Amino acid sequence: MGTVIHAAEAATSETLLHPAREQLDLAAVLHALSDPMRLKIVAALAHAEEERTCGSFELPVVKSTCTHHFRVLREAGVIRQRLEGTTRMNSLRREDLDACFPGLVDAVLRAAHAAHQ
Amino acid sequence: MGTVIHAAEAATSETLLHPAREQLDLAAVLHALSDPMRLKIVAALAHAEEERTCGSFELPVVKSTCTHHFRVLREAGVIRQRLEGTTRMNSLRREDLDACFPGLVDAVLRAAHAAHQ
């Protein structure tokens, strides 16, 4: 008897920390958004109809850099990451962001879109 | 004859670099705004009726840190700094920011204000 933690279980039950809506911090969110790669990720998630895996983004950076960007976004409360097996499924925390910072995500997405036209 | 640059002149005519409106970069602006002290400076300038000196902001940081924050804001194009003698006069580049990133400064100021209530 007793508790046995298999390596596979430990990996899949990895704790992905997310700040609660009331913990979202403006400076931290702006910092998370202040990078071209992370802006691309956020814009893509804003237009996605469902969750997307990290690998589905065609970003011109190595995997570890990519993982870092997703972590910064998650820890600031910009995206939610959910494990499905060992795959991280990503979505934008649009409702939380709009509730805490009305108009901010809209303005950022509009500006990011305009910059790439 | 010839050009003579006096030390005093060199100091007062220090080149304060400002990006042109069309050079403003979203990621750089978001980075400049992603700090609590810089958000305070921007909020204060947004409500100021005229230019303000760096020293007029009661920020709980040493002078060199303060100078750094103003430089980050200027180099990102968020504020304009003008020398009056040896004093730097600061103003928000509201029109340039609103032209490049419609709604962004409004959303940030609203969120910053809400966070401090």
Side-chain angles (χ1 to χ4, degrees), chain A residues 24-93:
Chain A
L24 296 194
D25 175 70
L26 178 62
V29 166
L30 292 171
H31 173 72
L33 296 173
S34 72
D35 176 275
M37 287 300 122
R38 295 199 289 269
L39 281 173
K40 269 185 207 286
I41 294 169
V42 168
L45 288 177
H47 297 106
E49 306 224 328
E50 35 187 50
E51 294 166 304
R52 287 185 56 173
T53 64
C54 297
S56 75
F57 295 86
E58 288 177 17
L59 301 174
V61 291
V62 298
K63 189 159 181 277
S64 61
T65 305
C66 206
T67 303
H68 164 76
H69 286 319
F70 280 96
R71 185 166 55 78
V72 171
L73 289 169
R74 171 172 51 77
E75 290 181 349
V78 176
I79 66 169
R80 189 168 294 285
Q81 288 194 302
R82 185 177 67 77
L83 281 171
E84 200 168 284
T86 56
T87 303
R88 296 184 184 195
M89 307 302 293
N90 301 282
S91 57
L92 189 63
R93 291 179 62 178

Side-chain angles (χ1 to χ4, degrees), chain B residues 41-59:
Chain B
I41 295 169
V42 169
L45 288 178
H47 297 106
E49 306 222 329
E50 36 187 47
E51 294 167 303
R52 287 184 57 173
T53 64
C54 298
S56 74
F57 294 86
E58 290 179 15
L59 300 174

Side-chain angles (χ1 to χ4, degrees), chain B residues 41-98:
Chain B
I41 295 169
V42 169
L45 288 178
H47 297 106
E49 306 222 329
E50 36 187 47
E51 294 167 303
R52 287 184 57 173
T53 64
C54 298
S56 74
F57 294 86
E58 290 179 15
L59 300 174
V61 291
V62 298
K63 188 156 182 281
S64 61
T65 306
C66 206
T67 303
H68 164 76
H69 286 318
F70 280 96
R71 186 166 55 80
V72 171
L73 288 168
R74 171 172 50 78
E75 290 181 350
V78 176
I79 67 170
R80 189 169 295 285
Q81 289 194 301
R82 186 177 65 77
L83 281 171
E84 202 168 283
T86 56
T87 303
R88 295 183 184 196
M89 307 302 293
N90 301 282
S91 57
L92 189 62
R93 291 178 64 178
R94 188 64 187 257
E95 283 187 24
D96 290 333
L97 293 166
D98 286 348

